[in-house]
Amino acid sequence: MTTTSDRLDLPARRRRHARLIAALTTLVGACAEAAGAVYRPIAAASPGQEAVEVNVVPCIQVSLTAADLLDRARAEDDARWPAVAASERAQAQRTYAARCAVAQAREFVEQPDPPGRVPLPTVEQAAAMDLVSAATEVAACWRSDPEEAAALVRELAAGGELAVDEILDEAAGAAAMTGLLALQEARTSTDPSTTAELCLAAVSHITLAVALASADLD
């Protein structure tokens, strides 16, 4: 008699998010190259030259295309692993329901808001905020101590309201979004040096997103 396991054979996270990781690393190179288009002419100019013509177009192009690049990569990863993507959606529904139950229980013990005060979040809002809060905490911790951050992820997931991969995915998305915001600011800057600096500032957030997207804690 043979039996089959109900457990999904999950790929390593760096394979699950391979297209996203590749897109993020491509973006790192593009940011560096775009900043170089500003700095190289300055480095090549003679010491006595007062005005130097630089090229900020690559910085603007990176900023305009970065979000679409990452969105396409995520969609391609989902298409490559449809069963895993479906399992992740089912897991997210379970943990979301668990967080809603916790939030509902909190509502019973909290006092109603007095008139004039900002109302507390709804159950659904509180459930969504819990995931965002956990992911933000993990991303911040990962910068300084990945081992401590990994332990924090396991601790946060121990109660069943959050899943390990769910936290890591949200943290990776938050880090990538911070990088995209830096690139958006670079696009609106009127100072070429500031534009280049913001392009390079985005790199640290993007590389953090790579680390979180590829982290495997199993």
Side-chain angles (χ1 to χ4, degrees), residues 154-171:
R154 294 188 179 96
E155 179 184 338
L156 290 167
E161 294 89 25
L162 295 163
V164 168
D165 285 347
E166 182 180 36
I167 298 169
L168 291 172
D169 288 350
E170 184 72 19

Side-chain angles (χ1 to χ4, degrees), residues 10 12 22 24 27 30 35 41 47 50 73 83 91 96 112 125 128 138 140 142 153 160 167-168 193 207 211-212:
L10 297 175
L24 289 165
L27 194 52
E50 292 186 1
Q91 176 66 55
Y96 179 73
Q125 289 170 336
V138 167
W142 204 281
V153 171
I167 298 169
L168 291 172
S193 293
T207 53
L212 290 162

Side-chain angles (χ1 to χ4, degrees), residues 30 46 50 71 89 129 137-138 153 157:
S46 62
E50 292 186 1
D71 285 344
R89 288 192 293 271
M129 289 164 58
E137 185 179 0
V138 167
V153 171

Side-chain angles (χ1 to χ4, degrees), residues 34-201:
V38 174
Y39 292 129
R40 279 193 295 269
I42 298 173
S46 62
Q49 185 175 343
E50 292 186 1
V52 179
E53 184 176 347
V54 298
N55 184 11
V56 298
V57 172
C59 289
I60 295 172
Q61 289 175 332
V62 169
S63 176
L64 289 171
T65 60
D68 285 342
L69 175 70
L70 300 186
D71 285 344
R72 287 198 306 271
R74 291 188 188 95
E76 289 170 1
D77 277 328
D78 287 350
R80 294 178 79 201
W81 302 98
V84 176
S87 175
E88 289 169 349
R89 288 192 293 271
Q91 176 66 55
Q93 289 175 349
R94 289 191 293 271
T95 54
Y96 179 73
R99 292 196 304 277
C100 281
V102 171
Q104 184 73 59
R106 290 196 201 114
E107 276 197 342
F108 286 122
V109 298
E110 289 172 347
Q111 296 296 323
D113 294 325
R117 284 190 58 183
V118 177
L120 294 172
T122 65
V123 167
E124 292 77 12
Q125 289 170 336
M129 289 164 58
D130 284 346
L131 174 58
V132 172
S133 177
T136 301
E137 185 179 0
V138 167
C141 185
W142 204 281
R143 286 188 182 278
S144 57
D145 192 336
E147 289 187 6
E148 181 181 343
L152 175 60
V153 171
R154 294 188 179 96
E155 179 184 338
L156 290 167
E161 294 89 25
L162 295 163
V164 168
D165 285 347
E166 182 180 36
I167 298 169
L168 291 172
D169 288 350
E170 184 72 19
M177 179 58 69
T178 305
L180 293 178
L181 291 174
L183 290 176
Q184 184 177 18
E185 188 178 352
R187 188 170 74 244
T188 60
S189 173
T190 57
D191 177 64
S193 293
T194 302
T195 298
E197 288 164 10
L198 287 166
C199 267
L200 293 177

